[in-house]
Amino acid sequence: MLLETAFVVSLAGASLAAPDQVTIVADRDGTLIEPFKPNPEASLGASPNIFVGRISAAGGATLRRSLLHFSLDSIPARSVVTEVSVVLHADGGQGAMQPISLHRALSDWGEGSSGADGGFGGSGAPPEPNDVTWSLRFWPGSPWTTPGGDFVETASATLSTPMFGECVLSSEALAADVQAWIDDPASNFGWVGTGNEAVAQTTRRFVSHEGLVAENHPRLVVTFTPPPPCAPADFNCDGVIDGDDLGTLLGQWGDCPGCDADFNDDGTVDGDDLGTLLGAWS
């Protein structure tokens, strides 16, 4: 009974840890290049730059949209996100100040090896396998539902950016995007970046994760509160002690030194340990 009481107290005393922060460099990025004859499809999978906005009339006044993806594996499951910033480095473009907006992507996309030499500026290069293009999520197959990318119409963040220098986008909506991806990792397709698409000659160029200067690579800064430690009998760490955990205990029944279900460390998972689990049942 003393063991059961101590176990219940440990559950009641669990609390959230202090906030933590991680900086994550983009693991994928790219540019969607609206087709313009005679180049129906182009890409910049390995380019040192990504682009947004509308180019000049000489190039057909076609659109550029960027793609950004960050792996969230370094953030523990069940963490609570409190603040998010996306840090980009502008290194060229047209117009003194131009906007960039980040929209949550709704489909997965690839990054190939096209444009490693710069890809002829924002004009792009012939796509390579798995490159993303205006029409295709993964070259040479897997089309977007909508050419130009599948993304939420409402921007998660918008910022007016200079031609050169660091640009930091931060908002509650960006934090909500990251929280959703932590809760459902399979839905993390990153963001689609858009620029000034209403007027020609409004492009903005940013350093990609292949850029020569590492400190200028796209970065995601996430402040979060890690989850509290799992209770000893919450084997699947879902916040409740129920039939799933009982099944785990029964699977370890008998001589089992060092097993998670051996709460009293006597080398055997037996009735005493079962009583402890049932005493904490939720």
Side-chain angles (χ1 to χ4, degrees):
M1 179 62 70
L2 179 61
L3 180 61
E4 293 179 14
T5 301
F7 183 65
V8 173
V9 169
S10 71
L11 286 174
S15 60
L16 293 176
D20 202 352
Q21 187 178 86
V22 294
T23 298
I24 305 166
V25 177
D27 60 351
R28 276 187 285 150
D29 51 36
T31 300
L32 299 174
I33 301 170
E34 188 176 22
F36 179 65
K37 296 179 180 180
N39 299 312
E41 292 285 353
S43 188
L44 287 171
S47 170
N49 293 105
I50 53 177
F51 298 80
V52 300
R54 189 178 290 277
I55 66 172
S56 67
T62 52
L63 292 174
R64 302 293 182 266
R65 293 172 178 166
S66 62
L67 290 155
L68 291 165
H69 182 274
F70 301 87
S71 172
L72 302 177
D73 291 347
S74 59
I75 301 177
R78 301 186 300 114
S79 293
V80 176
V81 176
T82 55
E83 187 175 355
V84 163
S85 297
V86 176
V87 184
L88 303 174
H89 188 86
D91 74 343
Q94 300 164 313
M97 298 295 290
Q98 296 292 350
I100 182 172
S101 297
L102 297 181
H103 305 253
R104 180 167 52 86
L106 298 174
S107 300
D108 201 9
W109 48 274
E111 181 191 70
S113 58
S114 64
D117 59 354
F120 316 112
S123 298
E128 299 289 344
N130 289 324
D131 266 327
V132 63
T133 73
W134 188 265
S135 301
L136 301 174
R137 300 184 295 115
F138 297 91
W139 177 269
S142 303
W144 294 103
T145 302
T146 303
D150 303 330
F151 55 89
V152 176
E153 183 177 355
T154 302
S156 295
T158 298
L159 180 72
S160 183
T161 65
M163 275 196 287
F164 299 96
E166 186 174 87
C167 307
V168 181
L169 295 94
S170 185
S171 70
E172 292 183 2
L174 286 179
D177 290 344
V178 174
Q179 184 69 65
W181 296 335
I182 291 173
D183 296 340
D184 180 15
S187 69
N188 179 11
F189 306 129
W191 288 288
V192 175
T194 61
N196 183 349
E197 300 191 346
V199 182
Q201 207 164 333
T202 55
T203 57
R204 187 62 83 233
R205 184 179 70 192
F206 299 95
V207 177
S208 77
H209 81 104
E210 291 94 353
L212 295 178
V213 181
E215 65 184 20
N216 291 340
H217 292 177
R219 305 189 306 277
L220 175 68
V221 182
V222 182
T223 303
F224 63 95
T225 301
C230 300
D234 186 10
F235 299 117
N236 59 3
C237 208
D238 64 354
V240 295
I241 297 171
D242 55 14
D244 290 340
D245 304 299
L246 175 60
T248 299
L249 182 145
L250 295 177
Q252 298 180 10
W253 195 266
D255 291 338
C256 198
C259 284
D260 294 337
D262 183 18
F263 302 126
N264 58 2
D265 294 323
D266 66 354
T268 302
V269 177
D270 54 18
D272 290 339
D273 305 299
L274 175 60
T276 298
L277 184 145
L278 295 177
W281 193 269
S282 54

